[in-house]
């Protein structure tokens, strides 16, 4: 079964993968694994995201590929974006980093405390 069949079979319902087998060596791992966010999108949205990435984010190219208008592309991107959690790309500094910057005089004690309190 390929990913399109699996996605169609589940009809948008959330599901959990309970067994993973590594093809190269046959090792199987059992547990409860959640699919990555992009794999949880329906087939049409997965195709749309793939086309968007392949077109380097060009909305003009997406208009040409799908034969629809700019507002339609933007609306679909917004709808898909609402289904995806934001991935933090600027993680909070570690405690060691904050202390090192404090020692070098790059931060005041108050700034260091604020950064340390802001960590989760």
């Amino acid at each position: 079964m390929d990913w399109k069949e699996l996605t169609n079979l589940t009809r948008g319902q959330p599901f959990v993968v309970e067994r993973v087998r590594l093809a190269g060596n046959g090792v199987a791992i059992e547990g409860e694994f959640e699919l990555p966010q992009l794999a949880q999108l329906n087939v049409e949205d997965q195709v749309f995201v793939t086309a968007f990435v392949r077109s380097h984010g060009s909305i003009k190219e997406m208009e040409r590929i799908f034969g629809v208008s700019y507002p339609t592309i933007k609306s679909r991107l917004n709808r898909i974006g609402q289904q995806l959690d934001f991935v933090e790309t600027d993680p909070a500094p570690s405690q060691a980093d904050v202390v090192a910057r404090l020692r070098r005089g790059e931060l005041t004690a108050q700034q260091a405390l604020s950064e340390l309190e802001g960590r989760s």
Side-chain angles (χ1 to χ4, degrees):
M1 175 182 299
D2 72 3
W3 65 272
K4 290 178 188 175
E5 290 174 302
L6 181 60
T7 304
N8 286 333
L9 179 68
T10 61
R11 295 186 179 138
Q13 296 298 312
F15 63 93
V16 174
V17 175
E18 293 184 339
R19 186 168 193 263
V20 175
R21 185 176 57 80
L22 304 175
N25 59 15
V27 171
I29 305 166
E30 293 193 17
E32 192 170 299
F33 310 98
E34 187 174 319
L35 292 177
Q37 290 184 56
L38 293 175
Q40 294 177 31
L41 295 174
N42 67 44
V43 173
E44 293 80 21
D45 287 345
Q46 289 181 32
V47 169
F48 187 85
V49 169
T50 301
F52 189 70
V53 171
R54 290 192 72 162
S55 70
H56 303 279
S58 168
I59 293 181
K60 276 213 177 297
E61 181 67 10
M62 294 293 286
E63 289 176 276
R64 187 190 67 73
I65 292 170
F66 289 96
V68 296
S69 67
Y70 177 92
T72 302
I73 298 294
K74 287 295 287 184
S75 174
R76 188 150 182 200
L77 285 171
N78 288 333
R79 183 181 55 75
I80 293 170
Q82 289 173 350
Q83 296 176 57
L84 304 173
D85 293 331
F86 179 74
V87 176
E88 183 60 54
T89 58
D90 188 18
S94 70
Q95 183 176 355
D97 289 338
V98 174
V99 171
R101 290 171 50 215
L102 178 62
R103 284 187 177 139
R104 290 191 303 263
E106 297 173 8
L107 296 174
T108 67
Q110 188 59 46
Q111 289 170 323
L113 283 173
S114 293
E115 285 197 25
L116 290 172
E117 289 170 353
R119 292 185 311 127
S120 51

